[in-house]
């Protein structure tokens, strides 16, 4: 019970108390105080965001957090015209309707985490120190692969990527150690780094898995024609906490 409620409900036990045992009146100075809302209930409305369902309850002081790198083709902050056109063509050829992730192309290095507000400053500082020690690296696109989130509420059609020199594995291992310090879950034990291109509501892996072989054939044909699209150079790591994004450059090659 708050101090205001205690004041409001307190009644005198002395013999001089009012025979009706009424509550003591609040002083004018307290009556003028303006309270603040301690907790506002946020109701998830899937219709406002393509049918997607929040995977964890929104609570005051909890911040959705993700560590990743954006997926850039060449020097542009958006996919190349060739890749955009190709992805749209692939999406139009599918027998099931999906949603393109053009505004969210990225490669995740953590699960979606729940970070406490009072952790943010130290967490960001620790992540910066970790990135200061890491070198830039290159990812190679391998093939198409299907992914489903733990809640089975969405299925993703993505491009699996691979880092040959092991720098990414070292980074994720160090990142997992950092997450342990905050009692946060590590990345998936059998991590599959990928760029999600299309997403579908529900668990559609059975309906989509038959499409993987022909899609991979189309991917190989595309990369043969545009070999430069096979590689992704990662020169920075990003961390999104709530609606704020932190950017951490990695060491350039000449600093190795």
């Amino acid at each position: 019970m708050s101090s205001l409620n205690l004041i409001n409900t307190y009644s005198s036990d002395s013999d001089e108390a009012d025979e009706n045992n009424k509550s003591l009146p609040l002083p004018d100075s307290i009556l003028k105080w303006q309270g603040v809302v301690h907790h506002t209930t946020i109701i998830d409305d899937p219709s406002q965001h393509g049918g997607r369902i929040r995977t964890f309850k929104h609570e005051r002081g909890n911040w959705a957090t993700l560590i990743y790198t954006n997926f850039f083709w060449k020097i542009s902050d958006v996919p190349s015209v060739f890749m955009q056109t190709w992805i749209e063509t692939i999406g139009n050829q599918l027998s099931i309707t999906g949603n393109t992730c053009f505004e969210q192309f990225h490669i995740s290095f953590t699960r979606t985490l729940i970070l406490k507000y009072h952790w943010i400053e130290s967490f960001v500082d620790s992540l910066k120190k970790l990135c200061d020690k890491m070198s830039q690296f290159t990812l190679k696109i391998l093939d198409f692969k299907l992914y489903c989130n733990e809640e089975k509420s969405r299925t993703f059609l993505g491009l699996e990527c691979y880092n040959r020199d092991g720098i990414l594995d070292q980074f994720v291992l160090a990142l997992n150690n950092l997450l342990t310090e905050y009692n946060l879950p590590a990345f998936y034990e059998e991590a599959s780094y990928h760029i999600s291109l299309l997403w579908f509501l529900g668990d559609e892996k059975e309906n989509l898995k038959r499409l993987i072989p022909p899609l991979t054939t189309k991917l190989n044909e595309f990369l043969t024609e545009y070999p430069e699209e096979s590689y992704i150079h990662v020169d920075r790591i990003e961390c999104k906490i709530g609606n704020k994004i932190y950017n951490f450059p990695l060491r350039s090659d000449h600093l190795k």
Side-chain angles (χ1 to χ4, degrees):
M1 182 179 294
S2 70
S3 58
L4 286 182
N5 284 335
L6 285 172
I7 293 173
N8 192 38
T9 58
Y10 173 79
S11 58
S12 174
D13 289 330
S14 69
D15 293 337
E16 297 177 358
D18 183 275
E19 62 179 0
N20 293 323
N21 198 27
K22 294 180 180 180
S23 299
L24 291 174
L26 288 175
D28 289 341
S29 59
I30 294 180
L31 290 174
K32 293 178 181 178
W33 289 356
Q34 297 295 320
V36 296
V37 177
H38 177 265
H39 178 76
T40 301
T41 300
I42 297 180
I43 301 176
D44 181 46
D45 184 359
S47 66
Q48 298 299 313
H49 35 80
R52 289 173 290 176
I53 299 173
R54 181 184 290 275
T55 56
F56 59 88
K57 184 179 179 181
H58 180 93
E59 294 183 3
R60 187 180 181 87
N62 286 350
W63 295 81
T65 300
L66 183 68
I67 298 173
Y68 61 95
T69 189
N70 272 313
F71 180 22
F72 298 152
W73 276 272
K74 302 179 182 177
I75 61 173
S76 175
D77 285 0
V78 296
S80 70
V81 174
F82 301 114
M83 184 62 87
Q84 287 190 55
T85 302
W86 182 75
I87 293 174
E88 290 174 349
T89 300
I90 292 298
N92 292 334
Q93 291 176 351
L94 296 179
S95 58
I96 182 171
T97 302
N99 303 273
T100 306
C101 307
F102 273 137
E103 296 181 358
Q104 309 171 50
F105 281 144
H106 66 274
I107 304 166
S108 298
F109 303 134
T110 65
R111 306 168 188 245
T112 298
L113 309 169
I114 302 176
L115 195 65
K116 299 293 185 181
Y117 176 78
H118 58 277
W119 291 345
I120 293 177
E121 184 175 355
S122 63
F123 183 82
V124 170
D125 183 61
S126 296
L127 180 57
K128 179 183 183 303
K129 291 177 180 177
L130 176 59
C131 292
D132 286 343
K133 301 176 182 178
M134 296 303 302
S135 299
Q136 299 176 14
F137 57 92
T138 299
L139 293 170
K140 186 180 189 302
I141 294 175
L142 296 180
D143 50 28
F144 271 102
K145 195 168 182 178
L146 290 172
Y147 302 87
C148 197
N149 62 6
E150 292 177 296
E151 297 77 19
K152 306 298 182 184
S153 61
R154 285 204 289 169
T155 303
F156 299 86
L157 179 63
L159 294 175
E160 187 178 23
C161 302
Y162 174 70
N163 170 235
R164 180 176 298 178
D165 56 21
I167 293 178
L168 178 54
D169 288 335
Q170 294 174 18
F171 173 71
V172 171
L173 179 61
L175 188 55
N176 284 341
N177 291 335
L178 172 61
L179 297 178
T180 299
E181 296 178 16
Y182 291 84
N183 295 317
L184 296 173
F187 200 39
Y188 302 101
E189 186 173 348
E190 296 182 3
S192 177
Y193 308 112
H194 64 279
I195 310 104
S196 294
L197 302 182
L198 300 167
W199 63 269
F200 310 83
L201 286 176
D203 184 350
E204 294 289 347
K205 290 183 71 174
E206 285 299 316
N207 292 334
L208 292 170
K209 67 179 183 180
R210 61 184 174 79
L211 301 176
I212 295 301
L215 284 176
T216 298
T217 298
K218 292 179 182 296
L219 173 65
N220 292 335
E221 292 173 350
F222 173 76
L223 295 180
T224 297
E225 185 175 0
Y226 302 99
E228 69 277 8
E229 306 286 0
S230 299
Y231 298 94
I232 308 160
H233 184 69
V234 179
D235 62 0
R236 61 186 179 269
I237 299 296
E238 293 191 4
C239 177
K240 184 175 183 181
I241 303 177
N243 60 0
K244 188 169 184 178
I245 295 177
Y246 299 85
N247 194 306
F248 307 102
L250 300 180
R251 295 172 55 182
S252 57
D253 293 338
H254 71 278
L255 294 177
K256 290 184 181 180

